[in-house]
Amino acid sequence: MPKRILEGVVVSDKGDKTVVVKVERTIVHPLLKKIVRRSKKYHAHDEANVYKTGETIRIVECAPKSKLKTWEVLPKASA
């Protein structure tokens, strides 16, 4: 089964080798038929501590690294 890749914004980089990423998605409300934004926070492993708050990053599923971390950041794309 392929690993999921999500894109979100770093909301916290306080932990050592850890970033908290807020991922937003849009759904259509079943009754109101309006588009609603839903968000969820994921703890992701950042080995080199290179990502800072406010950056947009991509994360990929991995084997559990700790109690909360089951995601790791993908390396930055070279420009």
Side-chain angles (χ1 to χ4, degrees):
M1 194 163 145
K3 296 181 179 182
R4 291 185 293 167
I5 297 177
L6 301 176
E7 187 170 327
V9 178
V10 177
V11 292
S12 173
D13 61 344
K14 302 286 186 202
D16 185 33
K17 297 184 181 179
T18 302
V19 290
V20 180
V21 182
K22 181 176 163 186
V23 176
E24 285 196 347
R25 62 189 178 92
T26 57
I27 62 165
V28 176
H29 191 280
L31 181 62
L32 302 176
K33 307 299 187 220
K34 295 207 173 227
I35 295 175
V36 183
R37 287 190 304 177
R38 294 284 179 239
S39 64
K40 186 172 179 181
K41 292 180 188 172
Y42 296 94
H43 291 251
H45 184 70
D46 178 17
E47 184 67 37
N49 287 322
V50 294
Y51 295 100
K52 301 299 175 200
T53 303
E55 289 186 88
T56 300
I57 63 170
R58 293 172 52 186
I59 57 175
V60 63
E61 278 183 310
C62 67
K65 296 193 181 287
S66 70
K67 179 181 174 181
L68 296 174
K69 290 196 294 188
T70 55
W71 296 82
E72 57 188 16
V73 296
L74 289 173
K76 288 184 179 180
S78 57

